[in-house]
Amino acid sequence: MTAVVEGIGLCQDYVIAGGFLRPPEMLRAVKGVDFAIEQGKTLAIVGESGSGKSTLGRIIALIDRQSAGVLKIDGDEVDIGHSKPSPALRSKVQIVFQNPYGSLNPRQKIGDVLMEPLMLNTPLPASERRARAEAMLAKVGLAPEHFNRYPHMFSGGQRQRIAIARALMLNPRLLVLDEPVSALDLSVQAQVLNLLADLQAEFGLTYVFISHDLSVVRYIADDVLVMHQGAAVEQASREQIFAAPAHPYTRELFAATPVTDLAAIRARVARRAAHRGAVAP
Amino acid sequence: MALLTIRNLTVRFATSTGTFTAVNGVDVTVDRGEVLAIVGESGSGKSVSMLAVMGLLPDTATVTADEMTFDGRDLLAMSDVDRRRLIGREITMIFQEPIASLNPSYTVGFQIEEVLRLNAGLDRRAAHARAVELFTAVGIPDPAGKLKSYPHQMSGGQCQRVMIAMAIATNPRLLIADEPTTALDVTIQKQILDLLMDLQERFGMALILITHDMGVVAETADRVVVQYQGRKMEEADVLSLFENPTHPYTRALLAALPENATGDRLPTVSDFMAAEQPQ
């Protein structure tokens, strides 16, 4: 079975200084990353800010072209260097951004937000576009009366649902989710994660899930790719990486993740009590 | 010994559609040297109640309380001059967005030295020396050099360290931290929390930590107040809260943690609140 998306030695360079009369100074933000994801699976890309995880996400989502390496979608090599992705290709890959307050145009009604991808990429008539947008609103748990409202009338969790709905309008095969729940509260985060799991089961979607929160990754991912300073330092199945993280940086990430385990809290409370005892008398 | 005592705090906002009650009869007490976490989601009024203590709410807000005392002094009866002397010296606050909390037009050194000159009464030379000392205390590498940096030249984690340095500059007795790590990565979050806890223990100041992250609560708090829609739902020491949460909302918050997921679906707050309704 061919992978829905495959990356071979993907690199991304940015010019950070120089230019006129001076040789450009380059920063390699992604340093040769390989991966492959099969249909219906979720690959989580984990790392701290500056690790290149979002840069890699933008390459996969066909927003930026990689500086080197090969990106294959459904087994076909993709190059967006000379021409924009074709409507057929654009329909296959969609992205949901981190901040639902910034990713929706404040002057565009929700219905128009959802119909725009269809208008740009398909020859569907207006009535059909409207019917599909209304159906999609229901699918992500919003009501038909939301169709004519503006983004500021929605909460953060609802806006992220709208962003997910927009990404799904073209029936994509691959969805790049760039920190989709890190701007959301815990209980809203749970709702959005449930929605993503439901949609994946229903449409057989493939997810690239970019996150720095390992507890979320553990819940949603099948495979995990850990990035550090642009390089993929570890890549393994979820079970394997959570049971036995091999790379020191992965272990550092685990150590930094807050634990809500009772034994750990008990140990910390005891340590604080001992410290107080030492200071107080 | 209570350091800060608030009884029956209510904050109302006058809006175009009528009065909105953001905080509804909340009691909070913090002892000397204690770490209190206030937990809740957006709109639970957790930040507003602390902004009311700091006197930072806009004019549209009406703050009423039966009692609001800091170290035996009545904050409500106090003159504005006295209150300003207290706020920023004995009670300080840090905010969620460290980069937005600093003025982009001035160097961080100018900003921290301004605090030291105005609130600690130091002259320029002494303020500079103390600023270097504070930057060292909060773990900023090359402190003297970094004083000349502008906020945009520093990372989010470093800006939060600068904010913490400014907040502890006057040796406050109470530090209020409003979601101090929400905008930061896990590795940086760990460093900032460790720093706050270390400073708290070293200087014996009380710390109020406002957060929506139960993981942060588990790693820092002595006592926890859970707030929901402007009301206090539950108050307990950290161990009993995690061991035996009594209020359904607290149980819902704990169950919504992805690491506690038992089945395929994460339970949400509305599931829990709905399950409670029929009884």
Side-chain angles (χ1 to χ4, degrees), chain A residues 18-278:
Chain A
F20 189 62
L21 293 182
R22 265 197 305 155
E25 203 176 305
M26 307 298 275
L27 173 83
R28 180 149 281 199
V30 176
K31 300 168 183 163
V33 176
D34 303 315
F35 64 91
I37 320 170
E38 287 181 2
Q39 167 150 24
K41 298 285 183 196
T42 301
L43 172 73
I45 304 179
V46 183
E48 58 193 2
S49 37
S51 63
K53 59 187 194 298
S54 288
T55 305
L56 181 60
R58 288 173 69 89
I59 296 172
I60 300 170
L62 309 176
I63 296 174
D64 294 337
R65 184 182 181 276
Q66 68 275 18
S67 321
V70 175
L71 179 70
K72 284 184 185 171
I73 305 252
D74 274 337
D76 300 325
E77 199 175 321
V78 172
D79 186 357
I80 56 164
H82 301 293
S83 56
K84 281 197 288 186
S86 66
L89 187 57
R90 189 25 90 210
S91 303
K92 277 186 187 168
V93 188
Q94 289 284 314
I95 185 166
V96 175
F97 295 100
Q98 171 171 8
N99 184 351
Y101 292 85
S103 63
L104 297 173
N105 182 345
R107 301 179 66 167
Q108 200 175 24
K109 288 179 181 171
I110 299 314
D112 297 326
V113 170
L114 297 186
M115 291 189 297
E116 191 166 7
L118 292 177
M119 202 164 73
L120 294 175
N121 292 296
T122 66
L124 292 172
S127 58
E128 176 65 18
R129 290 202 295 263
R130 192 182 167 97
R132 288 201 187 184
E134 281 174 350
M136 187 54 76
L137 270 183
K139 195 124 269 170
V140 297
L142 294 169
E145 66 261 27
H146 292 144
F147 194 85
N148 281 322
R149 294 195 187 162
Y150 288 98
H152 74 266
M153 301 159 109
F154 293 90
S155 67
Q158 285 176 321
R159 285 182 207 213
Q160 201 59 295
R161 285 169 192 269
I162 295 164
I164 292 169
R166 172 175 60 185
L168 291 178
M169 283 310 290
L170 292 166
N171 294 322
R173 304 212 342 114
L174 174 67
L175 204 53
V176 178
L177 301 150
D178 190 354
E179 307 242 16
V181 294
S182 48
L184 306 177
D185 271 349
L186 197 58
S187 62
V188 182
Q189 170 180 308
Q191 292 169 6
V192 173
L193 288 175
N194 283 337
L195 172 68
L196 288 172
D198 292 346
L199 293 170
Q200 183 166 43
E202 187 176 343
F203 298 111
L205 289 169
T206 308
Y207 288 158
V208 173
F209 193 94
I210 301 171
S211 180
H212 68 258
D213 187 342
L214 284 165
S215 57
V216 173
V217 167
R218 179 175 216 158
Y219 172 72
I220 202 157
D222 295 302
D223 293 297
V224 182
L225 186 151
V226 182
M227 288 191 69
H228 184 47
Q229 295 181 350
V233 294
E234 188 167 359
Q235 195 168 4
S237 73
R238 171 182 61 175
E239 287 72 22
Q240 199 181 335
I241 214 158
F242 279 89
H247 194 273
Y249 177 70
T250 315
R251 288 204 285 270
E252 197 183 306
L253 271 184
F254 277 100
T257 306
V259 280
T260 51
D261 174 47
L262 282 176
I265 300 174
R266 210 169 275 135
R268 185 180 65 79
V269 171
R271 200 166 59 236
R272 296 244 326 149
H275 175 84
R276 281 231 177 116

Side-chain angles (χ1 to χ4, degrees), chain A residues 46-50 53 101 179 182-195 197-198 212-219 249 252-269 271-272 275-276 279, chain B residues 32-35 40-43 46 179 182 184-190 193 197 200-202 212-222 238-239 242-243 249 253-254 256-261 263-271:
Chain A
V46 183
E48 58 193 2
S49 37
K53 59 187 194 298
Y101 292 85
E179 307 242 16
S182 48
L184 306 177
D185 271 349
L186 197 58
S187 62
V188 182
Q189 170 180 308
Q191 292 169 6
V192 173
L193 288 175
N194 283 337
L195 172 68
D198 292 346
H212 68 258
D213 187 342
L214 284 165
S215 57
V216 173
V217 167
R218 179 175 216 158
Y219 172 72
Y249 177 70
E252 197 183 306
L253 271 184
F254 277 100
T257 306
V259 280
T260 51
D261 174 47
L262 282 176
I265 300 174
R266 210 169 275 135
R268 185 180 65 79
V269 171
R271 200 166 59 236
R272 296 244 326 149
H275 175 84
R276 281 231 177 116
V279 174
Chain B
R32 284 162 222 279
E34 187 186 34
V35 181
E41 53 197 308
S42 356
K46 56 192 196 302
E179 307 249 11
T182 307
L184 307 173
D185 273 345
V186 273
T187 40
I188 313 297
Q189 161 170 300
K190 169 95 175 145
L193 291 178
M197 295 309 287
Q200 188 271 329
E201 287 190 351
R202 224 178 331 149
H212 67 262
D213 187 339
M214 290 307 258
V216 170
V217 174
E219 298 258 313
T220 55
D222 295 325
V238 63
L239 198 55
F242 278 88
E243 243 170 9
Y249 178 69
L253 273 186
L254 288 172
L257 284 170
E259 63 250 45
N260 291 350
D264 283 345
R265 295 185 66 80
L266 289 166
T268 61
V269 169
S270 41
D271 294 347

Side-chain angles (χ1 to χ4, degrees), chain B residues 88-94 112 115-116 119-120 122 130-140 160-177 195-207:
Chain B
R89 294 185 195 180
E90 291 187 54
I91 312 178
T92 56
M93 188 160 181
I94 57 174
I112 189 168
V115 172
L116 290 163
N119 283 340
L122 300 179
R130 176 89 173 114
V132 173
E133 215 175 282
L134 285 164
F135 269 31
T136 316
V138 296
I140 294 177
Q160 196 58 289
R161 283 175 197 269
V162 172
M163 285 304 294
I164 293 171
M166 286 166 75
I168 61 165
T170 51
N171 290 323
R173 303 174 55 202
L174 172 63
L175 172 64
I176 302 173
L195 171 67
L196 279 174
M197 295 309 287
D198 176 52
L199 293 169
Q200 188 271 329
E201 287 190 351
R202 224 178 331 149
F203 299 119
M205 63 184 178
L207 179 65

Side-chain angles (χ1 to χ4, degrees), chain B residues 11-16 18-22 56-63:
Chain B
V11 182
R12 291 193 183 85
F13 287 93
T15 66
S16 54
T19 326
F20 172 71
T21 309
L56 291 177
L57 288 171
D59 291 340
T60 50
T62 320
V63 180

Side-chain angles (χ1 to χ4, degrees), chain B residues 46-153:
Chain B
K46 56 192 196 302
S47 297
V48 171
S49 49
M50 286 304 115
L51 289 172
V53 173
M54 296 292 284
L56 291 177
L57 288 171
D59 291 340
T60 50
T62 320
V63 180
T64 55
D66 292 350
E67 184 187 353
M68 200 193 268
T69 52
F70 179 76
D71 198 21
R73 281 169 286 175
D74 190 347
L75 289 173
L76 293 169
M78 197 176 265
S79 73
D80 288 353
V81 178
D82 286 343
R83 186 152 180 181
R84 273 202 295 278
R85 213 166 277 152
L86 189 73
I87 303 297
R89 294 185 195 180
E90 291 187 54
I91 312 178
T92 56
M93 188 160 181
I94 57 174
F95 302 93
Q96 177 169 359
E97 288 283 341
I99 299 173
S101 309
L102 292 164
N103 189 331
S105 318
Y106 296 98
T107 63
V108 292
F110 176 86
Q111 295 181 55
I112 189 168
E113 283 164 29
E114 185 180 26
V115 172
L116 290 163
R117 276 184 284 128
L118 292 177
N119 283 340
L122 300 179
D123 62 31
R124 286 177 66 108
R125 193 178 298 252
H128 182 78
R130 176 89 173 114
V132 173
E133 215 175 282
L134 285 164
F135 269 31
T136 316
V138 296
I140 294 177
D142 180 24
K146 274 283 186 286
L147 283 171
K148 298 194 196 82
S149 303
Y150 286 90
H152 74 268
Q153 293 168 321

